[in-house]
Amino acid sequence: MLASKLYSPTLREIPADAEIVSHQYMLKAGLIRKSGGGLYSFLPLGRRVELKIEAIIREEMNNIGAQEIMMPIVQPAEIWHESGRWNAYGPEMFKLEDRHGSQFCLGPTHEELITTLVRNELRSYKQMPVTLWQMQNKYRDEIRPRFGLMRSREFVMKDGYSFDVDEEGLHKSYQDEYDAYTRVFTRCGLEFKQVEADSGQIGGNHSHEFMALAQAGEAEIVSCSQCDYAADIEKATAPTLEMAAETAKDVELIETPNCATIEDLAQFLSIPLEKTIKAVAFTIDGEKTVLCMVRGDHSVNDVAVQNFVGGNAIEPATEDELKAHGLQPGYMSPIDADKPDNETFFILVDPSAMAVPNGVTGANKAGYHYQNVNPSRDFKDVSIVSIRTMVEGDACPQCGAPIHVVRGIEVGQVFELGTKYSEALHATFLDQNGKAKPYVMGCYGIGVTRTIAAAIEQFHDEHGIMWPVAIAPFEVAVVPVSTKDQDQVRIAEELYKGLQDTKTDVLLDDRNERAGVKFNDADLIGYPVRVTVGKKSASDGTVEIKVRRTGQEEVVPVDNAVARVQEILADLRSKNM
Ligand code: ATP
Ligand code: MG
């Protein structure tokens, strides 16, 4: 490719709404352009990166015998009604109607479609196991599309689905995908971790997420300092923290003016935060009110709450709703509140909150709290459920060593779905005894476009992107310092052809621009290797080779340059750099 012909408009200034590095550099280097909120067009350089990631995925899917298909983006509403997810999926689903008034959605995922696709034709155990997958645009009307490709409303996902005759088969299909994903992200050069995950909206019981470690990530991961335990913080069950025993005193009502927050309260009473028990309330699907009690220094893991209570959409409870259950916002506790019926009103208390002796909690009366509260004596009819979020230094659930909390970008997730969709959609096969059984399914997703953003978050400096070779838009840029110098032009062209002949993905920067501009663009776009042809190339017969990732520079004879570039690329590739 000749740079003079490449459509890659770069920007001087980064648009103000681009908050994170990957979004900024993708705009600045001319990889993508915004076409609407959470909607992006890919320009040639961005598209090349995407296609390279897709090619790696395709190879690894072929390696495990998964077969590529393509399903429609537009999906009929009926199949979602059948599975019960038409409403359950919530406002994230883009819905539309055709001219006849029939309803459709733009696929946010394809469990319904694939299950109904195969249900009448995948009929016998003899045809199984089978895994089918596609590379396709997905649509989610995210509540907060942001960070460019990281959380967009249209994005490319590789989604795959396995069909097995039993759980044992599913475990194998799952493991194959898990291993393939591990190879995909390794080959893409990412630093990542596989973590135990909650199955969430999709359903099922066993799941892992592939997390690219990065500060800009929206997910939090707990990871053990000693053993291999790693989990999404939403999935991790925090240990119960005991406190030194005290003789239980009598409950007292105390006036606590101007104590809007739990910190104010602890300060007002001169007690440590952990001697307070704080309340957080949610509403689930607008039908269930849930009062959650955790220790003052802890926070509530709403996924744990939802896993216990059930339902789909979890939101903060409204004042009216709270008052209807005898709860005074700002001063809530189970004491003097309605008794939970565990259908429309729940009270969940975290075990570490249960362990607080002579603690302080709300009195359901504005401006008042109770002190000397001992939950096992004073909280009536509550459900004791682990609902607090783990924090740095908590004991690892597996080995007891302290855990770390780090941030990550979810680039992929694998699920064992079991029979959730096949049962709902009456999708069965005949087993060896001629008996109809529901498929045992797994589903597997990779955020292809999010992976591009994740790679940039991990590999960049103040000058621009530092692509791993495997996914770089071009592997090598040959840059003649002056296009007015015929010798430089000739040598650069020879090197360019020589590299093309060795199947190197090479770009020749033949633009009539100042050397500084070309070097800046090369650093910004992030070609892994730059070969500079300057004055000395003609006089001494040497060129300079620079490795973007390491900053390493060397001067080599022109005659050796092609071979040396090959060596460097091979070395980088072998290190997944
Ligand atoms: P998240 O928790 O980040 O919203 P998810 O768990 O809902 O993601 P999945 O249903 O597991 O996503 O989809 C598979 C993959 O698709 C994710 O692992 C992620 O990499 C990618 N993905 C999901 N939502 C988006 C989005 N809005 N923009 C870009 N990629 C996305
Ligand atoms: Mg996910």
Side-chain angles (χ1 to χ4, degrees):
M1 182 79 214
L2 298 177
S4 60
K5 304 266 188 279
L6 179 68
Y7 183 71
S8 81
T10 50
L11 300 179
R12 280 221 183 143
E13 303 295 333
I14 295 163
D17 62 343
E19 295 169 63
I20 61 170
V21 167
S22 55
H23 190 195
Q24 294 172 347
Y25 281 157
M26 269 186 275
L27 291 168
K28 191 161 188 227
L31 271 65
I32 57 168
R33 284 293 177 262
K34 185 171 176 175
S35 299
L39 303 170
Y40 291 88
S41 296
F42 279 73
L43 304 187
L45 289 173
R47 181 71 175 149
R48 290 180 76 91
V49 174
E50 189 196 326
L51 289 174
K52 287 197 177 177
I53 297 174
E54 291 189 8
I56 292 172
I57 295 173
R58 195 162 275 121
E59 248 180 66
E60 294 299 342
M61 286 299 112
N62 287 337
N63 279 342
I64 59 167
Q67 300 166 58
E68 185 167 2
I69 60 166
M70 191 59 145
M71 293 178 272
I73 286 168
V74 178
Q75 304 185 14
E78 292 90 78
I79 58 176
W80 289 81
H81 282 301
E82 252 190 270
S83 73
R85 284 209 294 181
W86 181 253
N87 292 321
Y89 207 92
E92 246 181 51
M93 193 193 263
F94 277 107
K95 294 178 175 170
L96 60 151
E97 220 175 73
D98 71 5
R99 63 176 76 196
H100 308 294
S102 304
Q103 289 192 300
F104 298 85
C105 70
L106 299 181
T109 178
H110 277 70
E111 284 80 15
E112 281 76 1
L113 209 132
I114 190 131
T115 309
T116 53
L117 169 68
V118 301
R119 72 178 162 190
N120 293 319
E121 291 173 306
L122 184 61
R123 287 184 163 163
S124 157
Y125 72 96
K126 289 183 199 149
Q127 297 164 280
M128 294 157 79
V130 64
T131 296
L132 303 172
W133 69 278
Q134 65 175 348
M135 189 76 73
Q136 202 201 43
N137 286 5
K138 293 282 185 283
Y139 298 82
R140 295 185 185 178
D141 195 0
E142 298 277 356
I143 188 163
R144 250 191 313 158
R146 57 183 186 155
F147 299 159
L149 300 187
M150 200 81 95
R151 186 165 295 284
S152 45
R153 300 201 293 173
E154 177 184 80
F155 56 96
V156 178
M157 194 202 287
K158 170 264 151 183
D159 52 325
Y161 306 86
S162 63
F163 299 88
D164 275 279
V165 298
D166 55 20
E167 285 285 322
E168 201 186 323
L170 170 59
H171 295 328
K172 165 142 196 339
S173 299
Y174 181 90
Q175 192 61 44
D176 284 349
E177 290 278 340
Y178 180 102
D179 293 342
Y181 278 29
T182 301
R183 290 191 296 272
V184 164
F185 294 119
T186 304
R187 287 179 61 187
C188 288
L190 291 190
E191 284 160 12
F192 67 98
K193 224 176 176 37
Q194 302 92 335
V195 307
E196 288 178 22
D198 188 75
S199 330
Q201 170 65 246
I202 299 252
N205 35 35
H206 188 51
S207 178
H208 285 89
E209 285 161 340
F210 289 73
M211 292 283 191
L213 304 175
Q215 212 37 48
E218 293 180 284
E220 281 191 307
I221 305 161
V222 299
S223 126
C224 181
S225 55
Q226 297 291 326
C227 74
D228 63 357
Y229 177 78
D232 191 311
I233 202 157
E234 294 178 338
K235 165 81 177 178
T237 303
T240 302
L241 301 183
E242 300 297 344
M243 289 174 75
E246 291 177 21
T247 317
K249 299 183 200 158
D250 290 341
V251 174
E252 273 175 67
L253 183 70
I254 50 171
E255 202 174 348
T256 50
N258 307 318
C259 290
T261 68
I262 199 81
E263 286 79 16
D264 294 341
L265 178 71
Q267 201 172 17
F268 176 74
L269 296 172
S270 302
I271 55 171
L273 266 185
E274 51 265 37
K275 290 286 287 220
T276 64
I277 305 169
K278 84 175 166 199
V280 182
F282 298 99
T283 178
I284 296 186
D285 297 337
E287 291 165 356
K288 299 168 178 173
T289 308
V290 189
L291 177 68
C292 300
M293 306 300 298
V294 293
R295 229 169 65 171
D297 57 331
H298 290 155
S299 57
V300 177
N301 175 2
D302 56 3
V303 171
V305 172
Q306 205 169 348
N307 281 344
F308 183 80
V309 175
N312 293 299
I314 185 163
E315 286 164 292
T318 61
E319 278 207 30
D320 288 347
E321 207 181 328
L322 296 174
K323 289 194 168 141
H325 292 289
L327 297 166
Q328 174 61 41
Y331 300 88
M332 299 187 294
S333 83
I335 304 174
D336 304 330
D338 285 0
K339 185 176 156 159
D341 58 10
N342 293 322
E343 271 176 31
T344 59
F345 182 46
F346 296 75
I347 301 181
L348 314 188
V349 187
D350 184 71
S352 299
M354 288 301 295
V356 176
N358 297 320
V360 174
T361 196
N364 284 314
K365 183 174 172 188
Y368 289 86
H369 282 86
Y370 281 124
Q371 68 180 9
N372 301 329
V373 170
N374 290 278
S376 50
R377 179 191 67 191
D378 303 321
F379 289 179
K380 305 271 173 9
D381 306 307
V382 300
S383 309
I384 301 170
V385 191
S386 184
I387 48 167
R388 78 168 172 99
T389 307
M390 267 192 145
V391 292
E392 182 78 21
D394 261 332
C396 167
Q398 208 163 272
C399 77
I403 57 107
H404 293 305
V405 179
V406 293
R407 299 195 78 84
I409 301 166
E410 183 196 319
V411 286
Q413 185 164 11
V414 290
F415 300 86
E416 288 196 349
L417 293 171
T419 55
K420 173 172 166 155
Y421 294 93
S422 46
E423 275 180 36
L425 297 162
H426 307 291
T428 58
F429 67 98
L430 296 178
D431 74 3
Q432 265 162 313
N433 306 316
K435 191 169 168 243
K437 284 193 173 158
Y439 308 132
V440 182
M441 293 171 57
C443 76
Y444 316 96
I446 292 180
V448 177
T449 41
R450 187 184 279 182
T451 298
I452 303 174
I456 298 173
E457 287 299 328
Q458 292 189 337
F459 308 112
H460 67 266
D461 63 10
E462 69 275 26
H463 304 297
I465 305 167
M466 305 196 290
W467 292 111
V469 173
I471 62 172
F474 289 97
E475 296 165 338
V476 181
V478 176
V479 184
V481 169
S482 165
T483 45
K484 299 204 175 78
D485 180 331
Q486 286 315 305
D487 286 329
Q488 287 185 33
V489 170
R490 178 183 46 79
I491 293 169
E493 278 174 359
E494 277 168 20
L495 288 176
Y496 173 60
K497 293 214 176 72
L499 286 163
Q500 279 185 324
D501 289 345
T502 59
K503 299 252 179 310
T504 306
D505 213 352
V506 58
L507 175 118
L508 174 63
D509 198 344
D510 60 339
R511 292 175 302 163
N512 184 17
E513 290 279 2
R514 282 184 295 111
V517 171
K518 296 201 260 193
F519 292 161
N520 285 347
D521 280 353
D523 281 352
L524 173 64
I525 295 166
Y527 309 112
V529 174
R530 188 184 85 200
V531 182
T532 310
V533 180
K535 275 203 193 107
K536 285 200 169 167
S537 304
S539 59
D540 304 4
T542 58
V543 293
E544 188 198 88
I545 300 178
K546 185 173 175 193
V547 180
R548 177 75 178 92
R549 186 80 169 268
T550 60
Q552 183 194 323
E553 291 176 356
E554 58 187 278
V555 174
V556 301
V558 173
D559 294 346
N560 252 354
V562 171
R564 183 62 192 135
V565 168
Q566 295 305 304
E567 253 174 48
I568 291 172
L569 287 175
D571 178 54
L572 290 170
R573 269 200 211 94
S574 73
K575 296 175 185 149
N576 295 309
M577 280 175 80

